Amino acid sequence: MKSKVAVVTGAASGIGFAIATEFAQAGAHVVLADIDPTAGERARAELEKSGAHCTFVPTNVSQAADVRRLVDHAVDAFGRLDILVNNAGLQYIAPVVDFPEDRWDYLISVMLTGAFLCSKYALPRMIQNKWGRIINIASLHGKVASPFKSAYISAKHGLLGLTKVVALEVAEHNITANAICPAYVRTPLVEKQIDEQARRHNLSASDVVAKIMLEPAAIRRLLEPNEVAALALYLCSDAAAGITGAALDIDLGWTAR
Ligand code: NAD
């Protein structure tokens, strides 16, 4: 990773911050992108404390103008762009019949259109260098469904399709594109869901995790963000050069049934 330049979206929190940290520790220059400017600056300052070369660009990945600015900024700051991690995401929970149409549009625009836009504008830089890695943080919910998460699950299923198309289009340029499909990871996104379910079912937080959220899993614990980050780092290595178009599970055995 020495001197490689990586853009990580949704890098101010959770999995994105863990990936940015892992990449920086491995010697990459990291461009953090996030819609939340305060959290993004905080994340950048924290990484810099440990000697990382990084920068933060306030970005709404659903907006093409923001994404173009992000890619330009990465190249201005560090001279190239080698790795893109499409990680920005959010959840909204409601049955289809009650699902607000603006929430549907927004979730799809962040987690599917956002990944498309970032890939579209980052790829020419990778093609120029004849090397690149695109890593899409999908989900276990890119492969299986749960009720009440229609927009999230549709976006993540779509993201696996986008991953395969990009993999086919750019393989000749020594660029791979892969998706990571985690089960529940201990991040603010999931902690919010645990609190909501605990209130709804009158259960403790640990019972919500073991009895409701992870009921279909073989290993009944939350993943830690650094477990996902370690897989992302591996996908950037030369050892992973033959893996492309894949959707790699890190799902606690959820889909083994
Ligand atoms: P998180 O809420 O901790 O972090 C998500 C980050 O994305 C936040 O910093 C947020 O500000 C940013 N973001 C949201 N909308 C954005 C936008 N339009 N443009 C730029 N940034 C935006 O969540 P997390 O759990 O770390 O999730 C990261 C990714 O991992 C998401 O794509 C999520 O779907 C996926 N994922 C999470 C889990 C889990 O259990 N936590 C499991 C599987 C997949």
Side-chain angles (χ1 to χ4, degrees):
M1 295 291 274
K2 278 267 172 294
S3 309
K4 290 266 192 290
V5 178
V7 168
V8 182
T9 72
S13 174
I15 295 170
F17 183 64
I19 292 174
T21 306
E22 187 89 13
F23 284 10
Q25 281 168 358
H29 301 320
V30 185
V31 181
L32 301 103
D34 204 285
I35 199 169
D36 181 338
T38 311
E41 279 300 340
R42 204 169 40 231
R44 180 194 57 76
E46 202 170 321
L47 275 191
E48 271 181 358
K49 264 194 261 160
S50 50
H53 295 270
C54 60
T55 179
F56 167 65
V57 188
T59 310
N60 180 347
V61 296
S62 69
Q63 300 299 315
D66 277 26
V67 172
R68 280 199 301 268
R69 197 164 48 85
L70 167 64
V71 169
D72 288 347
H73 185 102
V75 176
D76 287 349
F78 297 122
R80 50 195 291 132
L81 202 176
D82 304 292
I83 298 161
L84 166 68
V85 182
N86 285 311
N87 166 79
L90 71 164
Q91 182 60 277
Y92 191 91
I93 298 177
V96 168
V97 290
D98 297 328
F99 211 94
E101 287 156 37
D102 63 342
R103 288 293 84 195
W104 168 274
D105 287 345
Y106 188 60
L107 264 69
I108 299 286
S109 78
V110 174
M111 290 183 286
L112 185 53
T113 309
F116 159 73
L117 290 171
C118 291
S119 303
K120 175 181 161 101
Y121 290 107
L123 274 170
R125 307 298 183 158
M126 298 181 190
I127 290 170
Q128 211 175 357
N129 298 340
K130 285 262 158 219
W131 194 94
R133 296 283 191 267
I134 293 189
I135 299 169
N136 293 325
I137 306 302
S139 169
L140 151 83
H141 281 129
K143 294 189 170 179
V144 299
S146 297
F148 313 128
K149 297 181 176 177
S150 53
Y152 184 90
I153 286 168
S154 301
K156 296 299 189 183
H157 275 69
L159 185 56
L160 297 192
L162 175 69
T163 306
K164 291 185 225 176
V165 174
V166 171
L168 295 178
E169 288 186 7
V170 295
E172 65 181 291
H173 303 290
N174 211 14
I175 300 167
T176 66
N178 291 290
I180 297 180
C181 300
Y184 289 107
V185 185
R186 192 188 310 280
T187 70
L189 183 141
V190 157
E191 274 156 2
K192 210 172 114 204
Q193 289 178 53
I194 294 172
D195 291 347
E196 280 166 10
Q197 299 247 26
R199 269 197 307 277
R200 186 177 311 156
H201 300 287
N202 202 18
L203 288 171
S204 69
S206 58
D207 277 353
V208 167
V209 172
K211 294 184 180 157
I212 298 183
M213 294 177 98
L214 290 173
E215 196 274 326
I219 301 168
R220 302 277 180 91
R221 67 166 175 85
L222 294 175
L223 292 161
E224 298 299 331
N226 62 358
E227 296 181 81
V228 181
L231 183 52
L233 183 64
Y234 169 70
L235 285 172
C236 295
S237 71
D238 289 340
I243 303 175
T244 199
L248 300 171
D249 299 331
I250 171 165
D251 73 353
L252 307 166
W254 188 303
T255 53
R257 275 172 221 283

